[in-house]
Amino acid sequence: MQATPAPARSTSVPGDAAIVARNLSKRYGSARKGVDALSEVNLTIPRDRIYGLIGRNGAGKTTFVRIAGTQLLPTSGSLTVLGHDVLTEASTIRLSIAAVPQESRPLYFLNVDELIFLYLMTRGMERREARRRTDSILEELSLAPVRKRLVSHLSGGMRRRAMVAMVLASDADVIFLDEPTTGLDPFARREVWAAIRRAKREHRTVLLTTHYLDEAEALSDRLALIEAGQVKVEGTPTEIRDRVRLPYRVSVQGGFVRSELEPFGEVSAFDGGFLVFAREKDARELAMAALSRGARVALGPVSLEDIFLQIVGRPLDDGMDAETEA
Amino acid sequence: MAGVRRRIQTLLTLAYMNGIVPMRTQPLYLLGVLASPLSFLFFVTIASGGKLFLTSVAGGMVLTMVSIGTSLQTDMSHYRQDLKLQDLLVASPVEAPVYVAGMALSELVYSLPGIVVFAVLWLHYAPVTPFSVGSAIAILLLVWAFASGLGFTMATYFADVRETFIFSTLVSLGLSVVPPVYYPVSFLPANLQPFAYLSPTTYAADLMRNAFGLESLSIRAIATDWGVLISFTIVLIGIAALKAQWRET
């Protein structure tokens, strides 16, 4: 998604864009008492790339994905997928997309093999091709040993992996993955990552939402940070880092009171100490001062998590349990 | 042509997935399909001293078809709300009418063992002609169609699958227990008989008893019963088609 200036009313689609949103808004509930889930969002998601949407629960990520996936109508604005309008050409779009919805679960009476194979068959894939793709994805995501096991007998992480396997095995040009690795162990996450990267090599577009910023950074060619229904920052991971005013982080434990740190940069309490976002020169000076006082200190470039904190003013997981995704 | 092939493949795959596979993995659940119809058959037969045995067999077939509607309602609510299956399929080439038809067909497939049990009882205890078999199949298909339409329509209203269980009980009560499905309408007091004809299953059971040779309806009564049953089916399928919207607003 590129934060391009929005034309007043345009349906033109850049040739290399998979998804284009213009002034896209979604309001749940009535005009007076409703809640804005998306407000005038303008995004361009390039083809054949992995695009990450990051943000807290309720930020609007899932709403965007559901509109693009033709599951939800927008309140205003436009959105096209592969050049087709979600309002008037939904049937055409559906021939070319696949999605793993947030919190989706597989039919419990199917085994893993059936889950993937029958999904491909419901999409209309030719039987032999569906069998070939099923066998391939089972191997790739290390699901072959449990292929005959009922999904109701799998762990939560394995079920999630099976769901992701379904859509990655499909022939969809655009794949929507809403929190695809929630509940997976680190090893399984990396297997899913590898499969997602393969989808990109096959010239497919993947729109990914995630709470895991390391995942977003590891997978995404471009990222957008959504907060309160608006795109706060957008670009490649490198571009996003370059936009940050204070690109270094220094964590200090002991040896300082808050007021002594404030001249170096922006200070926040962190894990019994302080976290300071600073320019390179100030960060070096602070680190040296901390070392001279015998304080514990760590210095490095800001992470996506830090950037999120700087832009939004609170960490990604703040209030995550209390809110539900819009 | 490719679109037609794809739709038929989707329909049959859904029927296999939700009809055949559960039979294989959860065979005990099949007893659940038979439990209510066979229980009524048992009690009505005992209470009537055996006089209403064949009437109950005919009623059991109708009740089994009505149960398809309640099963469809529960399945579709569960799959939509708890499993997010509908969201998954919306973002795919699967079309809403094909999904509904496939799910309804799967429920029919899942109920076939129950129908076979009643059909065996019918074949064993009463004379059967090709015409009576053809009539019974046509009647039961209409009951399947309107029960599926009703089940799908109701599934769109519930926010929680537990609500569907309550409604399923009410549907069974209103369509198959209270109306004259397991007994002739003449058993009802005269002032209650008009109310029985508010239920489409009354017409279906009338026609089934006629097909079984248990009642001899006039041509006019037969035409009326078919007309009303077909009208109910068209209306309920029409409402279901209007409600079959893939996308949320």
Side-chain angles (χ1 to χ4, degrees), chain A residues 218-293:
Chain A
L219 287 177
S220 306
D221 297 296
R222 296 188 75 86
L223 286 166
L225 192 163
I226 294 188
E227 171 68 6
Q230 295 180 322
V231 177
K232 295 294 184 186
V233 64
E234 195 281 343
T236 65
T238 306
E239 285 171 350
I240 289 176
R241 282 184 196 289
D242 290 347
R243 281 189 209 179
V244 175
R245 191 170 53 89
L246 304 167
Y248 282 84
R249 77 193 309 268
V250 186
S251 65
V252 182
Q253 301 233 335
F256 290 89
V257 294
R258 187 179 186 116
S259 58
E260 290 178 294
L261 296 170
E262 282 170 350
F264 292 98
E266 289 181 5
V267 184
S268 54
F270 172 72
D271 206 14
F274 294 101
L275 185 62
V276 182
F277 295 120
R279 293 187 179 84
E280 183 177 358
K281 178 171 168 288
D282 293 331
R284 286 178 190 278
E285 284 180 12
L286 174 57
M288 295 300 289
L291 286 172
S292 68
R293 292 191 190 189

Side-chain angles (χ1 to χ4, degrees), chain B residues 16-96:
Chain B
Y16 172 79
M17 186 169 70
N18 199 51
I20 303 285
V21 176
M23 272 191 216
R24 192 196 65 219
T25 56
Q26 297 167 322
L28 279 178
Y29 280 28
L30 283 172
L31 293 177
V33 176
L34 282 168
S36 289
L38 284 180
S39 299
F40 281 118
L41 173 70
F42 176 76
F43 285 114
V44 172
T45 302
I46 294 293
S48 66
K51 289 177 185 170
L52 291 180
F53 171 71
L54 279 174
T55 300
S56 299
V57 171
M61 288 183 168
V62 173
L63 176 55
T64 303
M65 289 292 112
V66 170
S67 299
I68 287 175
T70 55
S71 298
L72 181 68
Q73 175 206 326
T74 306
D75 276 359
M76 293 195 80
S77 293
H78 177 53
Y79 294 167
R80 177 168 58 91
Q81 290 159 9
D82 301 332
L83 306 187
K84 312 292 182 196
L85 177 69
Q86 189 168 311
D87 268 359
L88 189 139
L89 291 178
V90 171
S92 81
V94 179
E95 293 154 313

Side-chain angles (χ1 to χ4, degrees), chain B residues 54-214:
Chain B
L54 279 174
T55 300
S56 299
V57 171
M61 288 183 168
V62 173
L63 176 55
T64 303
M65 289 292 112
V66 170
S67 299
I68 287 175
T70 55
S71 298
L72 181 68
Q73 175 206 326
T74 306
D75 276 359
M76 293 195 80
S77 293
H78 177 53
Y79 294 167
R80 177 168 58 91
Q81 290 159 9
D82 301 332
L83 306 187
K84 312 292 182 196
L85 177 69
Q86 189 168 311
D87 268 359
L88 189 139
L89 291 178
V90 171
S92 81
V94 179
E95 293 154 313
V98 177
Y99 174 61
V100 176
M103 293 301 285
L105 187 59
S106 76
E107 302 290 353
L108 179 66
V109 168
Y110 196 70
S111 298
L112 284 180
I115 289 295
V116 168
V117 169
F118 285 104
V120 168
L121 291 174
W122 180 24
L123 291 170
H124 194 261
Y125 288 102
V128 175
T129 65
F131 181 76
S132 62
V133 171
S135 298
I137 290 172
I139 295 160
L140 294 175
L141 286 176
L142 281 175
V143 176
W144 166 67
F146 85 67
S148 298
L150 180 66
F152 173 75
T153 302
M154 295 316 300
T156 64
Y157 283 102
F158 296 113
D160 190 297
V161 73
R162 281 179 302 176
E163 295 173 23
T164 69
F165 298 142
I166 299 165
F167 184 78
S168 297
T169 308
L170 293 176
V171 166
S172 291
L173 194 70
L175 287 181
S176 45
V177 179
V178 175
V181 171
Y182 275 82
Y183 59 91
V185 71
S186 57
F187 277 35
L188 283 172
N191 58 344
L192 290 181
Q193 286 183 16
F195 293 104
Y197 287 100
L198 293 174
S199 168
T201 49
T202 299
Y203 304 92
D206 255 1
L207 290 169
M208 284 296 284
R209 286 192 292 271
N210 188 62
F212 271 52
L214 301 170

